[in-house]
Amino acid sequence: MATTPPVVKAHKREEFGKGAARRLRRDGRIPGVLYESGIENVHFSVDRIEMTALVRNDGTNAILRLDVDGKELLCMVKHVDQNVLTLEIDHIDLLGVKRGEKVTVEVPVVTEGEAVDDAVVLQETDVLEIEVDALNIPDEIVVNIEGKEIGEQIVASEVVLPAGAELTSDPDALVVNVTYFQEDEELEEAAAEAEAGGAEAGADADQAEGTVEIADGGEGDEGASE
């Protein structure tokens, strides 16, 4: 993550409520609130396209300098409300931070490398919570699985974190489990029974159809004799 946060221009909000929020969204702006210990909450609005691009590029832990009518406030994205239909941002919460201050954030976990042949790698944890300098929040935490053998596991305490970061997640939390492909016998049996049942139903249907054809044929003969 960049150590020089981008500047996002904002306007202070004087109107509140659902009606005011709808008008802002109609005008292409997102309502938001900045929270910071020791100061009054700042209600603002920002350009939807600009803020959406920032969140998409830097993630939900994005650091920015919010320019509220000429006053810059260093902050990070804390929570985003998205429209369930359009997935557009409807509202955003920011948390005020100070340079050199550490924050507790959740960071996505990704794996790199290849385990041994025939191994199945199960990623059991999607995010890890860490405490880190606000201006050095990593975009992701990489877990190396190169050459891992079947039966090996990686727990949170074994993950290599970025310099200066401290783990706040459960150190015993299972992050990666290297195992082997296992067939679920119950599922296989159920699938076989379902397939057999489908075949029997098809045979019964064919037999019933043949019976109808014979009956129809008999009625036709009677009609011809008349």
Side-chain angles (χ1 to χ4, degrees):
M1 185 170 291
T3 56
T4 303
V7 176
V8 176
K9 289 190 174 296
H11 300 320
K12 196 169 183 179
R13 287 195 290 141
E14 303 294 346
E15 294 183 314
F16 306 97
K18 293 182 178 179
R22 280 195 296 267
R23 287 192 293 273
L24 284 171
R25 297 185 191 110
R26 188 172 57 241
D27 294 338
R29 300 189 67 79
I30 301 171
V33 181
L34 184 150
Y35 303 91
E36 184 174 352
S37 177
I39 69 170
E40 188 176 348
N41 294 344
V42 178
H43 298 265
F44 63 89
S45 70
V46 292
D47 181 80
R48 181 191 299 277
I49 295 176
E50 185 177 15
M51 183 57 74
T52 300
L54 176 69
V55 172
R56 182 180 294 118
N57 293 333
D58 293 346
T60 54
N61 294 324
I63 296 291
L64 63 142
R65 289 176 289 165
L66 191 71
D67 183 338
V68 185
D69 298 332
K71 181 180 179 181
E72 285 192 8
L73 300 168
L74 186 65
C75 50
M76 66 176 288
V77 176
K78 192 63 178 175
H79 181 75
V80 171
D81 284 329
Q82 287 183 295
N83 185 291
V84 294
L85 297 178
T86 66
L87 297 182
E88 291 183 336
I89 299 176
D90 277 349
H91 188 277
I92 191 163
D93 290 340
L94 304 180
L95 176 66
V97 296
K98 295 179 175 60
R99 291 185 181 277
E101 178 182 359
K102 286 194 171 185
V103 293
T104 300
V105 294
E106 289 186 338
V107 179
V109 174
V110 298
T111 60
E112 70 172 8
E114 297 289 338
V116 298
D117 292 341
D118 299 327
V120 176
V121 178
L122 302 178
Q123 184 173 323
E124 306 288 354
T125 299
D126 294 325
V127 297
L128 284 177
E129 186 181 84
I130 62 173
E131 186 179 62
V132 65
D133 188 298
L135 297 185
N136 289 295
I137 301 173
D139 295 324
E140 58 190 21
I141 295 173
V142 179
V143 178
N144 192 330
I145 60 169
E146 185 65 34
K148 291 295 182 183
E149 303 278 349
I150 293 175
E152 289 192 75
Q153 296 180 332
I154 301 174
V155 297
S157 61
E158 297 172 326
V159 174
V160 178
L161 300 178
E166 296 180 14
L167 181 72
T168 53
S169 287
D170 179 0
D172 295 325
L174 181 60
V175 178
V176 171
N177 185 22
V178 183
T179 183
Y180 58 92
F181 178 73
Q182 302 178 57
E183 292 187 359
D184 191 315
E185 294 182 1
E186 291 185 1
L187 287 178
E188 290 290 332
E189 185 178 343
E193 290 177 358
E195 186 176 350
E200 291 177 3
D204 292 343
D206 290 341
Q207 183 178 357
E209 185 177 349
T211 303
V212 171
E213 288 177 354
I214 294 171
D216 287 347
E219 291 176 359
D221 291 340
E222 290 176 3
S225 64
E226 290 175 356

